[in-house]
């Protein structure tokens, strides 16, 4: 059970790392997901694309420093316990 939970946490960490690595000018604008793409009018519900770009930007902003610590702990655990 513990190995399965650790594998699940490690997979979640890899997914968060993948989201944080996405660069807005290099990758997201080329696929049409830049910051200026999903701007709607006043009172309109933002579309799914605008919500996802805001989520990516928020994860990148909030998780920058904690990811460094979590990645370091994960690397140390992998080095110690294989």
């Amino acid at each position: 059970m513990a190995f399965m939970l650790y594998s699940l946490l490690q997979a979640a960490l890899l997914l968060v790392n993948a989201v944080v690595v996405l660069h807005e000018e290099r990758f997201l604008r080329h696929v049409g997901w830049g910051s200026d793409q999903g701007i709607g009018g006043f009172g309109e519900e933002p579309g799914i694309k605008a919500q996802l770009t805001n989520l990516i930007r928020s994860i990148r902003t909030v998780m920058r420093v904690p990811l460094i610590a979590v990645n370091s702990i994960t690397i140390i655990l992998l080095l110690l316990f294989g």
Side-chain angles (χ1 to χ4, degrees):
M1 179 73 180
F3 289 116
M4 190 183 309
L5 181 63
Y6 179 73
S7 298
L8 186 64
L9 290 174
Q10 195 173 14
L13 178 66
L14 287 173
L15 287 175
V16 172
N17 279 326
V19 169
V20 170
V21 167
L22 291 175
H23 196 268
E24 198 162 333
E25 285 89 25
R26 292 184 188 162
F27 176 73
L28 293 176
R29 286 205 188 181
H30 292 293
V31 294
W33 285 42
S35 61
D36 57 347
Q37 299 289 331
I39 299 172
F42 180 73
E44 290 182 12
E45 287 288 324
I48 188 74
K49 189 189 294 188
Q51 289 178 354
L52 285 175
T53 55
N54 285 335
L55 178 68
I56 290 171
R57 195 174 304 118
S58 299
I59 289 173
R60 194 180 318 139
T61 302
V62 172
M63 294 298 291
R64 183 173 293 159
V65 174
L67 268 178
I68 295 171
V70 172
N71 283 328
S72 300
I73 291 170
T74 303
I75 290 170
I76 290 171
L77 285 175
L78 284 174
L79 287 175
L80 290 177
F81 299 115

